[in-house]
Amino acid sequence: MGAESPKEECGLFGVWAPGEDVARLTYLGLFAQQHRGQESAGIAVSDGQNILVYKDLGLVSQVFNEATLTTLHGDLAIGHTRYSTTGSTTWDNAQPVFKTDGERSVALGHNGNLVNTRELAERVGRSGGATTDTDLVTTLLAREMASNGLEDSAMQLLPTLEGAFCFVLMDERSVYAARDPHGVRPLSIGRLPNGFCVASETCALDIVGATIVRDVEPGELVRIDDRGLRSSRFAEAPRRAHCIFEFVYLARPDTRLSGVSVHEARREMGRLLAREHPTEADMVIAVPSTANSAAQGYAEESGTPYGEGLVKNNYVGRTFIQPSQSLRDRGVKLKLNPLPDSVRGKRLVVVDDSIVRGTTTRQTVQTLREAGAAQIHVRITCPPIKWPCFYGIDMSTRQELVASDLTVEEIRAFICADSLGYLSLEGLVAATGAPKEEFCRACFDGEYPIPVPDSAGKFVLEDRLKLPSS
Ligand code: SF4
């Protein structure tokens, strides 16, 4: 994963469990989902009377400490880790978003990206002061809930939203979770000894000791409180369009998506990649860590030994102080460092999850060559990314995508590899074990399951409202 990689979007967690330390459970749930967003983190907690929100820019472990967590008491909480797919990186845009009219309050966290933001902005009006689609949604909910309560307000608002969305939201007494009718982003429910929790990824349910109950269904609103877990359907699910890129890159390997182990799916991607693009080599290595499972699969299928050739520093967050250009020129590498003794003189198969702009892959190839690798055969666990994503992954223009106008051979030349092979879309779908029709694959095949307005793009809202960006 490099600076140019598609950015993860957001991680959500929600819990209703009286008697438990819900703030600490939420902290752990967010910590497990740090990979989904490293710009900001926040927790909202309620004791049944008041909602308290604490959020800031930075990693979960930078935002929260013992002292802050100790002040967050209650029976229910929601939390959020953010990467900004819309709007700018400012404290105001950190989530959960909180709105109150003095009587009733709502806190909300969002994972995804709405495509009818313009229409929502018109409904809110210029006085709203929002720079994100999440803020627009929370403002509209807060307006309605004074007369209708949060559940009814959500049931009215959710069917009018278009795009990809998973929400966790809360009032003073209940936690809610909602998933868009196509189910683009994942959201799962877990059971605790005295309550329930929800999370974007099941690895966050595991870390708090919850048993996985099921996914939140596309088009479903779930409410959790002292009456248990209740379900309402706010829209029919026309067709499923789970983001297939979650399997490739976004989700942690110990997560299960629609019941399928991400690690196993990635291993199968590696096996199929070995069948589709075999080559003579001495060692298979992964670009750590997303591609580790696939590299193992490639090694198994090809009979070529698996080894370590690159070491990754996992602790470089977005707030990390970057080295100056002169240090970079001297070869200071923040994230990936080669193991020269391991790769010297070897013909390497280098398995990576994806190529976006191509510059990071080129650097990786160069690093391995400088470390003495004899040949470098790059294998990618998905097809070329040719189309932008409008559903929450930060690949928002075609110009950013090297495969949008270069052939595979031209990309091979650009990254200076000896050979380059991408897994086919058929192979990728087969590795998940689910039918093609259940997935959004738009960044690969340009077939967008949810219509995208021409104007949709990362800063459309700021352009329209003429808000300062930072
Ligand atoms: S366009 Fe690609 S990244 Fe975006 S939701 Fe669809 S499959 Fe996922």
Side-chain angles (χ1 to χ4, degrees), residues 197 231 262 281 288 371 374 377 392:
C197 50
S231 163
V262 171
H377 302 277

Side-chain angles (χ1 to χ4, degrees), residues 382-399:
C382 66
I385 300 172
K386 296 187 172 181
W387 304 89
C389 174
F390 297 105
Y391 311 136
I393 309 301
D394 189 20
M395 306 186 289
S396 46
T397 64
R398 290 200 75 186
Q399 293 75 30

Side-chain angles (χ1 to χ4, degrees), residues 184-185 242-246 388-391 393 395 440-444 448:
V184 177
R185 301 276 147 237
H242 306 315
C243 169
I244 202 164
F245 206 61
E246 293 272 352
C389 174
F390 297 105
Y391 311 136
I393 309 301
M395 306 186 289
C440 172
R441 314 145 328 237
C443 48
F444 304 120
Y448 291 94

Side-chain angles (χ1 to χ4, degrees), residues 251-309:
R252 253 173 56 158
D254 52 340
T255 280
R256 300 181 79 82
L257 294 171
S258 309
V260 177
S261 152
V262 171
H263 167 68
E264 287 305 330
R266 286 186 187 155
R267 232 165 101 187
E268 185 63 10
M269 288 171 208
R271 289 190 200 108
L272 296 172
L273 195 50
R275 266 185 241 160
E276 291 184 10
H277 298 285
T279 189
E280 289 290 317
D282 304 309
M283 186 163 78
V284 180
I285 67 167
V287 177
S289 48
T290 322
N292 290 0
S293 311
Q296 286 165 23
Y298 194 103
E300 279 164 25
E301 181 69 23
S302 64
T304 310
Y306 174 82
E308 302 282 330

